[in-house]
Amino acid sequence: MIRAATVNDVAEIRAMIRELAEYERAVDQARATEEQLREAMFGEHPAAFALIAEDDETGEAVGFALWFPHFSSWTGTRGMHLEDLFVRPQARGGGHGKALLASLAAICERRGYERFEWWVLAWNEPTIDFYKSLGVDFLDEWRVCRLGGEPLRELAAQVPAVRDQTPAL
């Protein structure tokens, strides 16, 4: 079964984020706290949303998908960015990953989102093969860019004088 996450799922979502980070060999980067996740998904202005995959027999959470809307200036429409998709090892092959993706695609269709996008690590061949079986397009001509830490602070310190300091959000 796939269902929308509730505030009661935050601890389980955080646990699965850590499990995903271990699988992706980056556990030291998974620093989000339960409080941060609770605020991000269930606060006054949610920044992200999640679906939970449950085992049909036990009701145990076996996977999750965390996503947020984005906007395309080219299409003039919103789209969906899938931040995390994870199915616990013991539940893989049971259709949970495909059910999560199908549920997300249905959200896109209902909301008029024209794009559903996410990233996958280049070394993760089993997942890449799974995505290929679904007809996913891989955008090899695009590179992911990330600016963080000290380089982000250094660039921010170079901000020119701006006439209107009103925040965008």
Side-chain angles (χ1 to χ4, degrees):
M1 177 176 83
I2 306 298
R3 63 173 176 78
T6 70
V7 71
N8 295 328
D9 294 311
V10 170
E12 196 68 33
I13 291 169
R14 182 176 183 274
M16 288 189 281
I17 289 170
R18 299 278 302 171
E19 292 170 43
L20 173 60
E22 287 175 21
Y23 175 75
E24 292 184 350
R25 306 171 193 153
V27 73
D28 58 312
Q29 296 175 40
R31 299 184 318 260
T33 65
E34 286 183 32
E35 182 178 309
Q36 287 173 314
L37 294 171
R38 190 174 296 105
E39 178 62 28
M41 291 187 289
F42 303 103
E44 188 175 338
H45 301 286
F49 306 91
L51 298 178
I52 301 291
E54 290 183 342
D55 181 274
D56 289 335
E57 294 177 17
T58 66
E60 172 189 357
V62 295
F64 82 107
L66 189 131
W67 67 276
F68 55 87
H70 63 80
F71 179 78
S72 169
S73 62
W74 288 22
T75 66
T77 62
R78 286 186 177 219
M80 178 182 288
H81 176 80
L82 174 60
E83 180 67 14
D84 292 325
L85 175 70
F86 180 72
V87 175
R88 289 183 159 141
Q90 70 273 16
R92 292 184 187 149
H96 302 290
K98 187 173 184 179
L100 284 164
L101 288 171
S103 297
L104 293 169
I107 291 169
C108 289
E109 286 291 304
R110 277 196 312 273
R111 296 184 180 190
Y113 294 177
E114 289 190 33
R115 293 181 178 170
F116 177 19
E117 299 172 333
W118 64 93
W119 306 339
V120 61
L121 289 167
W123 58 260
N124 194 345
E125 287 298 326
T127 302
I128 290 169
D129 291 342
F130 168 62
Y131 293 154
K132 285 180 181 176
S133 77
L134 298 176
V136 169
D137 289 327
F138 291 87
L139 306 177
D140 295 331
E141 66 276 11
W142 290 87
R143 299 289 305 254
V144 175
C145 299
R146 179 178 292 159
L147 185 63
E150 189 57 31
L152 175 65
R153 287 186 285 281
E154 288 175 10
L155 184 58
Q158 298 174 36
V159 67
V162 179
R163 201 176 275 175
D164 180 5
Q165 292 289 336
T166 306
L169 296 178

